[in-house]
Amino acid sequence: YDVRNQKVLYAKDEDRRLPLASLTKIMSALVAEDISPLYGTITISGEALSAEGDSGLLIGEEWSLKNLLDFSLLTSSNDGMRAVALSLGALSRANATSAEIMSDFVLEMNNKASAMGLKNTYFLNETGLDEDEVKSGAYGTAHDVSRLFEYSITHHPELLAATKEPRSVFYSSNNQAHLARNTNFLVDEIPGIIASKTGFTNAAGGNLVVAFDPEIGRPIIISILGSTERGRFEDVRSLVSAVMFYINNSK
């Protein structure tokens, strides 16, 4: 998708609704920014660490929202994004249960998707983890994901900036260092990379969305859903090459 010219360069099954897996975290981060200033503090709880996967977060650690979002998007941390949702959901309800807090946060995600016109996108949880063996934590289309990414890099360019780095070191407010490696190992290969996000679960297969700028001021978004864990990277490689061929032969 050529953002500058608002033009689809290539599409296949772009309106087929598929599981999103961790692409869900893009919307979670957008909603978190809507709710709280980026300097707000998030505390890591034991309940947050109950999410599938261990990204090295520690009970009782305090993070700035900005650092935790960057860490969670770069590493696709379920613990980190769950900590954000538990801290920011149902803020207006003093005695809300954890289930009510999470439900409130996911409702805000769905409300934002509706406001953005993402008609084929909906969320059941904040991480994109599968709800069970057959039901995903979120669903959407390659078309909607491209629009979500376009919105993010256009209106909140800082949100996904960390995801163009192959690795980084983040510090919690307790000065605990955390080495973060990008789950997208292609970032060094993509010319003018702006942002990226991976997703993989058993229900979803392999997902990958990237934004890159092969020319100055001409962002291109590639959105892959329903591939395989390894195949998504080969798919993006192929499409980046096709974009570069198209641009070089259109001059």
Side-chain angles (χ1 to χ4, degrees), residues 3 148-158 160 194-195 211 219 221:
V3 174
L148 175 61
F149 226 57
E150 178 188 15
Y151 177 89
S152 299
I153 65 174
T154 302
H155 298 282
H156 297 271
E158 79 293 339
L160 294 167
I194 298 170
I221 295 171

Side-chain angles (χ1 to χ4, degrees), residues 25 43 49 77-78 99 126 147-149 151 164 168 219 221:
K25 295 182 175 74
T43 301
L49 298 185
S77 171
N78 298 315
E126 79 294 346
R147 292 185 61 192
L148 175 61
F149 226 57
Y151 177 89
K164 67 182 179 181
S168 189
I221 295 171

Side-chain angles (χ1 to χ4, degrees), residues 145-193:
V145 168
S146 293
R147 292 185 61 192
L148 175 61
F149 226 57
E150 178 188 15
Y151 177 89
S152 299
I153 65 174
T154 302
H155 298 282
H156 297 271
E158 79 293 339
L159 181 76
L160 294 167
T163 65
K164 67 182 179 181
E165 304 297 336
R167 67 192 60 81
S168 189
V169 177
F170 295 94
Y171 291 87
S172 66
S173 303
N174 313 77
N175 210 34
Q176 176 72 41
H178 292 265
L179 175 62
R181 291 184 174 85
N182 200 325
T183 51
N184 175 20
F185 61 78
L186 294 184
V187 288
D188 282 338
E189 299 182 24
I190 300 175
I193 185 75

